[in-house]
Amino acid sequence: MHQTPFIGELVGTMIVILLGNGVVANVVLKQTKGENGGWIVITAGWAFAVIFGVFIANAFGSPGAHLNPAVTIAFAVLKNDYSNVLSFITAQLIGAFLGAVLVYFQYLPHWKATDDPGSKLACFSTNPAIKSPGANFLSEFIATIILIIGIAAIGFSGTSDVQRGPIPSGVAPYLVGMLVWSIGLSLGGTTGYAINPVRDLGPRIAHAILPIHKKGSSEWGYAWVPIAGPILGAIVGAFILRMFSF
């Protein structure tokens, strides 16, 4: 097999979900070594997941390492180039689903040890702390705008000084991870900060399909929020950036 952007997006997204949902499982499932580790552990785990997902996506053929349809859509709008949107989002959705399946197998004995169906669902997809669709949508919308503007700003950093040039490429993934960490710590307590449609949809599909012991509902009635909120946030974020000639 060859390194291609499609493979890079698929494998990179798979790693993000494996490590990101993996840390959730480690904290919320019963009888794990990380049980009750708390929100700081979860947000840190997700940040590290993004860092290494980006590096791995680069290694497997995706220089941009979007790993998120919101990022793909935002940069398509920003550059007025939609040629990669369908292939990238397809790869990201497949990768997210596979990453969630790997989390299931990684924690195989712990699904039966955990009684709460909500905790099991949390290892796959997001769910709000207080269910209020309008407010939940707004949370995802705002957080995704910050994500898109933050990523663009990281890419812009240093380019205004022609003598310095841009930041080294190997530094950018760490900064993106820190951005995701900041969003999780500051804005994530309302909905669990999907800020990525396939991060929620792929694992939610896996939750619905997999034979998880007494798993309960996959909460499809809420699933539109972590899809629509990030997509619209990405579009608005891109138009804000275009207003300032990014």
Side-chain angles (χ1 to χ4, degrees), residues 57-79:
N58 290 163
F60 277 81
S62 180
H66 292 178
L67 315 181
N68 180 346
V71 176
T72 298
I73 291 168
F75 280 97
V77 172
L78 188 59
K79 297 177 180 179

Side-chain angles (χ1 to χ4, degrees), residues 234-245:
I235 293 170
V236 170
F239 277 113
I240 291 172
L241 292 168
R242 285 179 65 167
M243 288 170 57
F244 289 91
S245 301

Side-chain angles (χ1 to χ4, degrees), residues 107-133:
Y107 286 92
L108 198 57
H110 297 273
W111 307 109
K112 191 172 182 179
T114 304
D115 293 326
D116 179 28
S119 295
K120 297 174 186 179
L121 179 60
C123 301
F124 292 88
S125 58
T126 62
N127 220 25
I130 297 175
K131 190 164 287 187
S132 175

Side-chain angles (χ1 to χ4, degrees), residues 47-56 58 62-67 75 147 150-159 166-181:
F48 303 151
V50 169
I51 292 169
F52 292 106
V54 170
F55 278 122
I56 289 170
N58 290 163
S62 180
H66 292 178
L67 315 181
F75 280 97
L147 175 70
I151 290 172
I154 290 168
F156 178 80
S157 180
T159 59
I167 60 172
S169 60
V171 174
Y174 293 100
L175 298 178
V176 173
M178 290 176 67
L179 172 63
V180 171
W181 198 355

Side-chain angles (χ1 to χ4, degrees), residues 77-158:
V77 172
L78 188 59
K79 297 177 180 179
N80 199 29
D81 178 3
Y82 299 87
S83 59
N84 291 322
V85 170
L86 181 59
S87 63
F88 275 26
I89 292 177
T90 301
Q92 292 156 2
L93 181 58
I94 295 170
F97 174 82
L98 294 176
V101 171
L102 290 175
V103 172
Y104 167 74
F105 284 111
Q106 176 69 22
Y107 286 92
L108 198 57
H110 297 273
W111 307 109
K112 191 172 182 179
T114 304
D115 293 326
D116 179 28
S119 295
K120 297 174 186 179
L121 179 60
C123 301
F124 292 88
S125 58
T126 62
N127 220 25
I130 297 175
K131 190 164 287 187
S132 175
N136 303 150
F137 171 87
L138 188 60
S139 291
E140 290 290 341
F141 176 76
I142 292 171
T144 306
I145 291 175
I146 299 303
L147 175 70
I148 298 305
I149 293 176
I151 290 172
I154 290 168
F156 178 80
S157 180

